[in-house]
């Protein structure tokens, strides 16, 4: 609310009664398979905001073998040093390399700086493991998405056409690896709204998140 009682409104912001300054960020964290990417992308579309897939940056840097890779997003495509790597960063080898790179504190610093630079202007939905702790600790809205381990593995297995048990085993190993070095993969950031997506439709989750904005 501004001093004279006039209430500012913003396009794409449902909660029109609250003055939000001149920009907004929704930071979405949570473990692999909780539905972060799908939800974050859909929320960004629903609100007409930009979407930052921070995991794609770790993947692109891992693919290129350097955290200093110039990474950009262009209409849903991921560009690394100008080259389209959208599909190339989704292989199991890159998944493993990205997890390793993400465990290096010095390399993380470089990527977090690049992520902060990207979201320094405009309205963003930021998705990651440290969106609300590392990239944008001052985000106006913080969301922590969870789902039961079985549900997370089931979704991934369906996506990748693989056995659920195998995916669940890998998922447990990845959670443990991603939960090191101060990265709050399994713990919500202070002030984050926790949403358990088990049994909820995508639309229901998107509505709950967008309603926080
Ligand atoms: O979300 P994803 O699977 O695309 O992430 C790839 C890797 O990067 C994964 O090991 C987790 C890590 N990561 C991270 O440490 N911090 C982020 N903000 C995003 C991803």
């Amino acid at each position: 609310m501004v001093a004279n009682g006039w209430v500012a409104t913003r396009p794409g912001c449902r909660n029109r009664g609250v003055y939000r300054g001149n920009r907004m960020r929704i930071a979405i964290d949570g473990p692999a398979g909780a539905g972060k990417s799908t939800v974050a992308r859909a929320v960004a579309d629903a609100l007409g905001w930009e979407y930052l897939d921070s995991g794609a940056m770790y993947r692109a840097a891992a693919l290129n073998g350097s955290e200093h890779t110039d990474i950009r997003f262009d209409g849903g495509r991921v560009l690394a040093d100008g080259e389209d790597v959208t599909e190339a960063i989704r292989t199991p080898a890159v998944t493993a390399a990205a997890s390793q790179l993400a465990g290096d504190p010095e390399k993380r610093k470089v990527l977090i700086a690049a992520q902060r630079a990207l979201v320094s202007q405009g309205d963003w939905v930021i998705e990651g493991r440290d969106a609300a702790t590392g990239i944008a600790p001052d985000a106006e809205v913080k969301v922590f998405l969870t789902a039961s381990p079985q549900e997370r593995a089931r979704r991934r297995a369906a996506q990748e056409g693989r056995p659920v048990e195998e995916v669940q085993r890998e998922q447990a190993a990845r959670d443990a690896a991603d939960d090191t070095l101060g990265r709050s993969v399994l713990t919500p950031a202070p002030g984050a709204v926790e949403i358990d997506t088990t049994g909820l439709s995508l639309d229901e989750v998107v509505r709950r998140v967008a309603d926080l904005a």
Side-chain angles (χ1 to χ4, degrees):
M1 192 93 67
V2 289
N4 63 4
W6 186 77
V7 177
T9 61
R10 302 166 41 66
C13 179
R14 286 159 193 248
N15 197 352
R16 289 169 193 276
V18 181
Y19 178 67
R20 297 285 192 181
N22 55 11
R23 73 197 209 90
M24 243 187 118
R25 289 148 302 161
I26 299 179
I28 303 183
D29 291 308
K36 290 190 305 290
S37 303
T38 314
V39 169
R41 198 168 275 130
V43 170
D45 280 352
L47 296 174
W49 295 6
E50 304 287 338
Y51 162 57
L52 178 69
D53 178 355
S54 64
M57 296 181 70
Y58 285 92
R59 288 171 178 274
L63 178 72
N64 268 22
S66 170
E67 67 278 17
H68 297 287
T69 302
D70 176 53
I71 304 161
R72 290 166 200 246
F73 296 93
D74 183 10
R77 310 300 294 176
V78 184
L79 306 179
D81 289 338
E83 199 183 318
D84 190 329
V85 296
T86 313
E87 280 82 31
I89 59 171
R90 299 293 160 190
T91 65
V94 173
T95 300
S99 180
Q100 203 172 8
L101 186 147
D104 182 324
E106 291 307 313
K107 295 180 178 173
R108 286 191 76 76
K109 268 189 212 158
V110 176
L111 279 156
I112 290 171
Q115 289 156 357
R116 287 185 179 157
L118 273 174
V119 302
S120 64
Q121 282 175 1
D123 296 319
W124 287 83
V125 179
I126 306 166
E127 179 229 325
R129 304 294 195 287
D130 60 351
T133 51
I135 305 169
D138 54 346
E140 288 75 8
V141 175
K142 299 175 184 177
V143 175
F144 191 79
L145 286 188
T146 58
S148 69
Q150 294 81 358
E151 173 78 2
R152 291 166 52 207
R154 196 189 57 70
R155 287 179 190 159
R156 272 271 142 119
Q159 248 172 23
E160 296 171 9
R162 297 167 56 212
V164 179
E165 299 73 30
E166 188 182 303
V167 173
Q168 200 168 340
R169 263 198 309 277
E170 281 177 16
Q171 179 179 278
R174 230 175 128 206
D175 279 354
D178 289 346
D179 202 25
T180 54
L181 299 165
R183 281 181 285 147
S184 50
V185 174
L186 302 172
T187 317
V193 176
E194 200 167 338
I195 301 176
D196 185 344
T197 66
T198 312
L200 294 182
S201 71
L202 174 62
D203 278 356
E204 283 170 321
V205 181
V206 169
R207 208 171 316 124
R208 284 196 198 185
V209 176
D211 278 349
L212 297 169

